[in-house]
Amino acid sequence: MPHQDLIVSWLHTIVEATANVAFALSGLLAGVRKRLDMVGLCVVMGLAAFGGGTLRDVLLDRRPFFWVDHPAWLWVLIAAGVGAIFVLRSSHFEFTERAIQWPDALGLGLFAASGTQLALAQDMPSIVAVLMGVVSATFGGILRDVVCNDIPTALRDRRPYAVCAFVGGWVYVLAMQLAWTQGAAFLLAAGTATGLRAWALLSGYSLPGGQTAASGD
Amino acid sequence: MPHQDLIVSWLHTIVEATANVAFALSGLLAGVRKRLDMVGLCVVMGLAAFGGGTLRDVLLDRRPFFWVDHPAWLWVLIAAGVGAIFVLRSSHFEFTERAIQWPDALGLGLFAASGTQLALAQDMPSIVAVLMGVVSATFGGILRDVVCNDIPTALRDRRPYAVCAFVGGWVYVLAMQLAWTQGAAFLLAAGTATGLRAWALLSGYSLPGGQTAASGD
Amino acid sequence: MPHQDLIVSWLHTIVEATANVAFALSGLLAGVRKRLDMVGLCVVMGLAAFGGGTLRDVLLDRRPFFWVDHPAWLWVLIAAGVGAIFVLRSSHFEFTERAIQWPDALGLGLFAASGTQLALAQDMPSIVAVLMGVVSATFGGILRDVVCNDIPTALRDRRPYAVCAFVGGWVYVLAMQLAWTQGAAFLLAAGTATGLRAWALLSGYSLPGGQTAASGD
């Protein structure tokens, strides 16, 4: 394996673990807010962490799923869901919510790049490949919110999230058309999506809204 | 291609485009009502337009999906979702809602017939084939409403919608058993479903309800 | 077929029919509570009865689905959904709800054991196989509640349900590793899950809750 790809592979493992934990924690917080029991916490954590990638794989007809290849993660989720019942205190909430924003942004970049890459490897059209990246990055959160009986945050809060994944996906497509290596394209795409999200978090930027339209309800 | 099939194919393309636009607009209206942002509008339009057909294809294990074969539609949805933020006014709502009822009825007939046809081509039992037509025609709207955190309209408003698709599907099955050509069966089935829906819209017919049962809540 | 397997197969058919009816009735009650129309009742009954097994089969990439192999069940559901509009009275509710608890517990055991068995037959890791059993047993009810716009009961009521399926699945895995026959492992696993559920129903046992955590909302 070339040196650059080795670094990418190593970084990938670290970032993937960080992102899975961040996504799962977002599910845990949502579940506790809705007073779910330990089964509910495990299910919502699993949907938040693996729902997006699994939906992408079902659409692309890919097997095995991530959690079949790495079943140890399922034990981590179960332990976290059961443990949370005993150790989670309300005083942990605000801190946890702010702390997971950054690993969550890493996950956004990682899933956007890897979803696009996997779809391009199946010769999907560029726009479909980019949307597979967006699905990987966002549908875990969407499924989490649907099961918790909320309108999904990602669809209404006007904070750029799916949009960052969308831009990152196009960076990957462009870099591949410029004949970059997969590793370099992956790093640039993931970095762009994560960087955009970090900038949005720091600046408090909101997407243009449909105020007038919304008042037509 | 025989003359009749050519007409069918040409009609099919026109009706399909009309139906996709009507289904997507129903998603747009639902999303604006729920004050979704531009990402939310695109997702809900996509679910409303392609959710039913995609679910049918996942169940039948068919690939490629419609939106992979015709990726230009994805650009149309994105443009509509983003543009709606800037141009949609509340005064457009009532008119749009009434205007899309008729292309929506065309889509109902088209999806009912094509879903039944695709499932029969895989040697599914008749009742399963008919239900695949119903799934194609109705689950886009059901997914749209679930993501918008409503009980799906199609499941509670007692206006015949799924029922029209069901009847249209059986017309297709019957016509094929009478050895009609696929094109003729398709036209008759789609026409029956669309006609029934148009009649229901014009007459205001409601399915028999469970008033007594409902009062047991 | 050896004698023991013949008994298992015969029991399986009986228990399966009983369980499907119980699962479908749970959907019927939920749908009537939400004042769904006859289409809605049929859809929610179908999701409750077949949603879990179908999701498992989509994840495991198995075909044909149960309801494709046994399409007569679809007619039963449609007849029940349409008939319920005319015959169901509120006075039937409490009795039905209590009466279906026991066949529902049979279904829990059956689906837990068969989901685990089907996944192990595809060489899935043990934890994945057990979770496929849990998905089979619980996701029908979860989909039913999501479509009815409720937070799923199975995720919040602290009554052991998914947990019983989880234990039953591990009993199957263990029995297979001890080189039991499939039939014996199936009987013991399904019996364990059903027995645990029956005990939970009789004793009123609740899983430990996150009272403190929940008050942090």
Side-chain angles (χ1 to χ4, degrees):
Chain A
M1 205 187 281
H3 186 59
Q4 195 183 38
D5 284 4
L6 197 69
I7 292 177
V8 170
S9 155
W10 182 79
L11 270 175
H12 191 284
T13 303
I14 302 282
V15 172
E16 189 174 72
T18 316
N20 284 340
V21 170
F23 280 29
L25 279 176
S26 83
L28 183 64
L29 294 179
V32 173
R33 283 233 167 74
K34 292 287 182 172
R35 298 171 182 254
L36 302 187
D37 60 25
M38 58 175 67
V39 171
L41 295 183
C42 293
V43 168
V44 175
M45 289 172 81
L47 285 175
F50 303 132
T54 301
L55 177 58
R56 176 201 65 212
D57 286 351
V58 167
L59 293 175
L60 293 179
D61 214 2
R62 285 184 75 241
R63 297 291 186 289
F65 298 127
F66 176 82
W67 42 274
V68 171
D69 251 359
H70 302 85
W73 278 105
L74 298 170
W75 285 113
V76 172
L77 286 193
I78 292 170
V82 173
I85 294 290
F86 300 105
V87 305
L88 202 66
R89 291 292 169 272
S90 54
S91 54
H92 301 163
F93 264 55
E94 207 187 327
F95 169 75
T96 310
E97 215 148 50
R98 270 184 298 126
I100 64 173
Q101 286 186 336
W102 307 102
D104 181 87
L106 278 179
L108 168 64
L110 179 78
F111 279 114
S114 65
T116 307
Q117 184 177 46
L118 292 169
L120 281 184
Q122 292 194 9
D123 291 322
M124 292 283 159
S126 302
I127 177 70
V128 173
V130 170
L131 287 179
M132 287 299 106
V134 175
V135 165
S136 313
T138 63
F139 264 77
I142 290 176
L143 289 173
R144 172 199 69 204
D145 293 346
V146 165
V147 164
C148 284
N149 205 19
D150 285 324
I151 299 183
T153 311
L155 305 185
R156 64 170 178 175
D157 73 350
R158 296 174 46 194
R159 309 294 296 277
Y161 193 92
V163 168
C164 305
F166 190 74
V167 174
W170 282 111
V171 167
Y172 188 90
V173 168
L174 192 69
M176 292 308 288
Q177 280 172 354
L178 297 174
W180 289 34
T181 64
Q182 285 207 2
F186 193 102
L187 271 182
L188 185 70
T192 303
T194 297
L196 274 175
R197 174 67 179 167
W199 166 77
L201 285 172
L202 291 172
S203 70
Y205 176 79
S206 274
L207 295 169
Q211 297 284 15
T212 319
S215 71
D217 188 2
Chain B
M1 202 186 285
H3 186 61
Q4 195 183 39
D5 284 4
L6 198 68
I7 293 176
V8 170
S9 155
W10 181 80
L11 269 175
H12 191 283
T13 304
I14 302 281
V15 172
E16 190 174 71
T18 316
N20 284 339
V21 169
F23 280 28
L25 279 176
S26 83
L28 184 64
L29 294 178
V32 173
R33 284 233 167 73
K34 292 287 182 171
R35 299 170 182 257
L36 302 187
D37 60 25
M38 57 175 68
V39 171
L41 295 184
C42 293
V43 168
V44 174
M45 289 172 80
L47 286 174
F50 303 133
T54 301
L55 177 58
R56 175 203 65 212
D57 287 351
V58 166
L59 293 175
L60 294 179
D61 213 2
R62 284 184 76 240
R63 298 291 187 287
F65 298 127
F66 177 82
W67 42 274
V68 170
D69 251 358
H70 302 86
W73 277 106
L74 298 171
W75 286 113
V76 172
L77 285 193
I78 292 171
V82 173
I85 293 290
F86 300 105
V87 306
L88 203 66
R89 293 289 170 274
S90 55
S91 54
H92 302 162
F93 265 55
E94 206 187 329
F95 169 75
T96 309
E97 216 149 49
R98 269 183 299 125
I100 64 174
Q101 287 185 337
W102 306 102
D104 181 88
L106 278 179
L108 168 65
L110 179 77
F111 279 113
S114 66
T116 307
Q117 184 177 45
L118 292 168
L120 281 184
Q122 292 194 9
D123 292 322
M124 292 283 160
S126 302
I127 176 70
V128 172
V130 170
L131 288 180
M132 288 298 105
V134 175
V135 165
S136 313
T138 61
F139 265 76
I142 290 176
L143 290 172
R144 172 198 69 205
D145 293 346
V146 165
V147 163
C148 284
N149 205 19
D150 285 323
I151 298 183
T153 311
L155 304 184
R156 64 171 177 176
D157 73 352
R158 296 173 47 193
R159 310 293 296 274
Y161 193 90
V163 168
C164 305
F166 190 76
V167 174
W170 282 111
V171 167
Y172 188 89
V173 169
L174 192 69
M176 291 308 287
Q177 280 172 354
L178 296 175
W180 289 34
T181 64
Q182 286 207 2
F186 193 101
L187 271 182
L188 185 69
T192 304
T194 297
L196 274 176
R197 175 65 179 168
W199 166 78
L201 285 172
L202 291 171
S203 70
Y205 177 78
S206 276
L207 295 170
Q211 298 284 16
T212 319
S215 69
D217 189 4
Chain C
M1 204 187 284
H3 186 61
Q4 194 182 38
D5 285 3
L6 198 68
I7 293 177
V8 169
S9 154
W10 182 80
L11 269 176
H12 191 284
T13 303
I14 302 282
V15 172
E16 190 174 71
T18 316
N20 284 339
V21 170
F23 280 29
L25 279 176
S26 83
L28 184 64
L29 294 179
V32 173
R33 284 232 167 73
K34 293 286 182 173
R35 299 170 182 256
L36 301 186
D37 59 25
M38 58 175 67
V39 172
L41 295 183
C42 293
V43 169
V44 174
M45 289 172 80
L47 286 174
F50 303 132
T54 302
L55 177 58
R56 175 202 65 212
D57 286 351
V58 167
L59 293 175
L60 293 179
D61 214 1
R62 285 183 76 242
R63 298 291 187 288
F65 298 127
F66 176 82
W67 42 275
V68 171
D69 252 358
H70 303 85
W73 277 105
L74 298 170
W75 285 113
V76 173
L77 285 193
I78 292 170
V82 173
I85 293 290
F86 300 104
V87 305
L88 202 65
R89 292 290 170 273
S90 54
S91 55
H92 302 162
F93 265 55
E94 207 187 329
F95 168 75
T96 310
E97 216 148 48
R98 270 183 299 124
I100 64 174
Q101 286 185 338
W102 307 103
D104 181 88
L106 277 179
L108 168 64
L110 180 77
F111 279 113
S114 65
T116 307
Q117 184 177 47
L118 292 168
L120 280 184
Q122 293 195 9
D123 291 322
M124 292 283 159
S126 303
I127 177 71
V128 172
V130 171
L131 287 179
M132 288 299 105
V134 175
V135 165
S136 313
T138 61
F139 265 77
I142 290 176
L143 290 172
R144 172 199 69 205
D145 293 345
V146 164
V147 164
C148 283
N149 205 21
D150 284 324
I151 298 182
T153 311
L155 305 184
R156 64 169 179 177
D157 74 350
R158 295 173 49 193
R159 310 293 297 275
Y161 193 90
V163 167
C164 305
F166 190 76
V167 173
W170 282 111
V171 167
Y172 188 89
V173 168
L174 192 69
M176 292 308 287
Q177 280 172 354
L178 296 175
W180 288 35
T181 65
Q182 285 207 0
F186 193 102
L187 271 182
L188 185 68
T192 303
T194 297
L196 274 175
R197 174 67 180 168
W199 166 78
L201 286 171
L202 291 171
S203 71
Y205 176 78
S206 276
L207 294 169
Q211 297 284 15
T212 320
S215 70
D217 188 2

